[in-house]
């Protein structure tokens, strides 16, 4: 099956009991047994629920992994994954991470002595040195494209560096989604998602996922999924699965919206820099062209006028809504320094380019011409 077909049929089929073409929302916490431990594969909905199973097998199919696991949030997925690594072990991670990911890694440092070294993954030599220094890392971790600066990490090359020391390479694929890149096919061992974003796609559900290449590792994480219990409800599982059906056409529309936005931003004198992997001037454009099929809906840029310009610009927008999160059908705008990345200290933030003038767009699937007009109008007011 090709990708768009897989989104609708991969790991899914009509309900075996009724023929319903969509998996029913099995709102049941427990399942009848005919005798002790004699059941139809379902015992208790924390361990497994048929609606969640449908989502999990679809996730495995579209990311090309052996095991898919759904969680109640992206951070719930990460927290469960972190439960699988021993205390006092080492992680090597990229320095541009979702703020909540950084916060949880730092919590593990304080509580379990798990030390994370943050290095610049766009410079593979730095990754090689960090991975080689000291005991083999339990995990090598990166997002690509990164949040909010849209840097692009060479996933195949990073996987090789991790594997040279038998470390797992984990990729947060939230920004690209499997429609644009499939890290497991490039050598990653585990893919993490905030399904809250593009997979759900409608800003109506919080969810997370892990997709694991090895069946054995996947089954260990399935054990932890049940032991920790950060599982999504049957209804939330249904919403994510429903969103996934249209991921292919949505990602093409998101990419078209972003391209229109970038054209306006890139030609404006009010904008100091535009960060978008689709731009030929993007420092990792060649890597992006190699590992992504399109460049996605996320764009960030720096307003020349700093914070005062940001405030005015945000007030003038009509279609882009000021809100955290991303990946929904509606366009959103975010000010990372004061919103999504406020938990990262200013010095750390600014050291790698998250300045007060930085604005992040999640381009929705509205008509690209309306997105362009909205930005042109707001820039015109500066
Ligand atoms: C939102 C996000 C997360 C966290 O996911 P939640 O569903 O909010 O817990 C992790 N990584 C990235 C890249 C995100 O954008």
């Amino acid at each position: 099956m090709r990708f768009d077909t897989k989104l609708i049929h991969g790991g899914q089929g009509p309900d075996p009991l009724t023929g319903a073409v969509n998996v029913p929302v099995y709102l049941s916490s427990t399942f009848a047994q005919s005798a002790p431990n004699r059941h139809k594969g379902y015992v208790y909905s924390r361990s497994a629920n048929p609606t969640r199973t449908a989502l999990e097998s679809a996730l495995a199919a579209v990311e090309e992994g052996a095991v898919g696991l759904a969680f109640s949030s992206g951070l719930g997925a990460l927290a469960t994954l972190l439960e699988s690594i021993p205390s006092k072990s080492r992680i090597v991670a990229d320095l541009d991470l979702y703020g909540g990911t950084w916060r949880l890694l730092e919590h593990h440092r304080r509580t379990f002595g798990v030390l994370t070294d943050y290095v610049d993954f766009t410079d593979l030599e730095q990754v090689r040195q960090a991975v080689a220094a000291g005991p083999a890392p339990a995990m090598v971790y990166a997002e690509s494209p990164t949040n909010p600066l849209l840097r692009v990490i060479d996933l195949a090359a990073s996987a090789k560096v991790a594997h040279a020391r038998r470390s797992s390479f984990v990729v947060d694929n939230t920004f690209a989604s499997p429609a644009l890149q499939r890290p497991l096919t490039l050598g990653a061992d585990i893919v993490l998602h905030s399904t809250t974003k593009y997979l759900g796609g409608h800003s109506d559900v919080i969810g997370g996922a892990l997709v694991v290449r090895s069946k054995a590792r996947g089954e260990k994480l399935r054990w932890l999924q049940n032991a920790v219990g950060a599982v999504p409800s049957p209804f939330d599982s249904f919403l994510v699965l429903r969103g996934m059906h249209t991921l292919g056409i949505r990602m093409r529309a998101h990419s078209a919206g972003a391209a229109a936005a970038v054209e306006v931003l890139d030609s404006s004198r009010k904008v100091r820099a535009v960060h978008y992997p689709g731009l030929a001037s993007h420092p990792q454009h060649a890597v992006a062209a190699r590992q992504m099929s399109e460049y996605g809906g996320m764009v960030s840029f720096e307003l020349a006028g700093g914070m005062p310009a940001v405030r005015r610009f945000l007030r003038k927008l009509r279609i882009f809504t000021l809100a955290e999160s991303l990946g929904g059908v509606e366009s959103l705008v975010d000010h990372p320094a004061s919103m999504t990345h406020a938990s990262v200290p200013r010095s750390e933030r600014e050291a790698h380019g998250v300045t007060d003038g930085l604005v992040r767009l999640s381009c929705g699937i509205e008509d690209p011409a309306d997105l362009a007009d909205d930005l042109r109008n707001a820039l015109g007011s500066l």
Side-chain angles (χ1 to χ4, degrees):
M1 274 189 248
R2 288 153 181 92
F3 185 78
D4 279 358
T5 313
K6 221 185 250 180
L7 283 170
I8 293 162
H9 299 290
Q12 305 168 55
D15 179 46
L17 201 61
T18 60
V21 294
N22 286 306
V23 66
V25 182
Y26 282 95
L27 287 175
S28 194
S29 58
T30 189
F31 299 85
Q33 309 191 13
S34 58
N37 293 316
R38 291 208 31 208
H39 50 76
K40 298 177 173 165
Y42 293 95
V43 173
Y44 184 63
S45 279
R46 170 164 30 75
S47 318
N49 172 281
T51 314
R52 194 174 94 215
T53 301
L55 168 61
E56 291 180 333
S57 55
L59 285 164
V62 301
E63 281 287 10
E64 303 190 40
V67 175
L69 300 169
F71 294 89
S72 53
S73 69
L75 289 182
L78 178 63
T80 304
L81 176 61
L82 289 174
E83 291 278 338
S84 73
I85 69 170
S87 64
K88 302 218 166 66
S89 52
R90 213 161 68 87
I91 296 173
V92 173
D94 184 44
L95 42 71
D96 195 16
L97 294 172
Y98 176 69
T101 298
W102 179 83
R103 184 174 58 198
L104 189 54
L105 290 172
E106 287 304 288
H107 168 73
H108 273 250
R109 177 177 60 76
R110 290 188 300 270
T111 310
F112 305 109
V114 174
L115 286 184
T116 302
D117 294 320
Y118 303 95
V119 298
D120 182 352
F121 272 54
T122 61
D123 176 2
L124 275 171
E125 199 39 49
Q126 281 192 35
V127 185
R128 222 169 265 127
Q129 280 176 17
V131 168
M139 216 162 78
V140 174
Y141 190 96
E143 305 171 3
S144 186
T146 66
N147 180 15
L149 291 170
L150 284 302
R151 291 152 62 257
V152 174
I153 309 302
D154 185 333
L155 298 179
S158 304
K160 282 205 188 97
V161 172
H163 293 162
R165 296 209 68 191
R166 296 173 177 274
S167 301
S168 301
F169 183 43
V170 179
V171 175
D172 180 336
N173 201 27
T174 299
F175 265 40
S177 93
L180 306 188
Q181 88 191 355
R182 291 183 283 286
L184 299 182
T185 67
L186 299 170
D189 301 286
I190 297 174
V191 160
L192 182 144
H193 275 285
S194 168
T195 57
T196 311
K197 317 293 168 55
Y198 286 109
L199 290 178
H202 295 75
S203 305
D204 53 10
V205 62
I206 298 282
L210 295 174
V211 184
V212 189
R213 183 145 61 133
S214 129
K215 180 132 175 67
R217 180 86 189 266
E219 292 309 327
K220 279 189 188 149
L221 287 165
R222 193 190 296 286
W223 184 92
L224 271 174
Q225 178 195 37
N226 178 51
V228 173
V231 294
S233 75
F235 186 65
D236 287 357
S237 301
F238 171 83
L239 283 177
V240 174
L241 186 57
R242 177 180 165 130
M244 281 173 65
H245 290 153
T246 55
L247 180 70
I249 55 169
R250 280 190 288 108
M251 288 314 289
R252 289 191 283 280
H254 287 299
S255 297
V262 164
E263 207 178 298
V264 172
L265 297 168
D266 204 35
S267 61
S268 168
R269 282 175 299 113
K270 315 284 170 56
V271 175
R272 182 174 291 153
V274 182
H275 308 292
Y276 188 63
L279 277 172
S281 58
H282 185 284
Q284 295 95 36
H285 177 65
V287 180
R290 201 161 64 230
Q291 74 188 15
M292 301 175 77
S293 57
E294 283 186 88
Y295 302 104
M298 299 302 298
V299 181
S300 63
F301 62 97
E302 205 181 324
L303 280 176
M307 197 61 204
V310 169
R311 275 191 228 283
R312 187 166 176 84
F313 175 80
L314 293 175
R315 263 201 317 275
K316 291 286 173 185
L317 289 169
R318 289 289 168 269
I319 293 180
F320 285 87
T321 301
L322 181 64
E324 300 206 0
S325 199
L326 60 109
V329 292
E330 69 291 301
S331 290
L332 299 180
V333 58
D334 164 51
H335 181 239
S338 65
M339 295 166 63
T340 44
H341 292 64
S343 60
V344 184
R346 174 183 283 271
S347 56
E348 210 132 335
R349 243 193 314 106
E350 289 186 338
H352 62 270
V354 183
T355 59
D356 285 349
L358 192 77
V359 175
R360 187 188 79 181
L361 303 178
S362 169
C363 298
I365 65 169
E366 301 94 338
D367 191 314
D370 285 326
L371 301 187
D373 286 349
D374 200 29
L375 295 170
R376 203 176 289 115
N377 180 51
L379 287 170
S381 78
L382 299 183

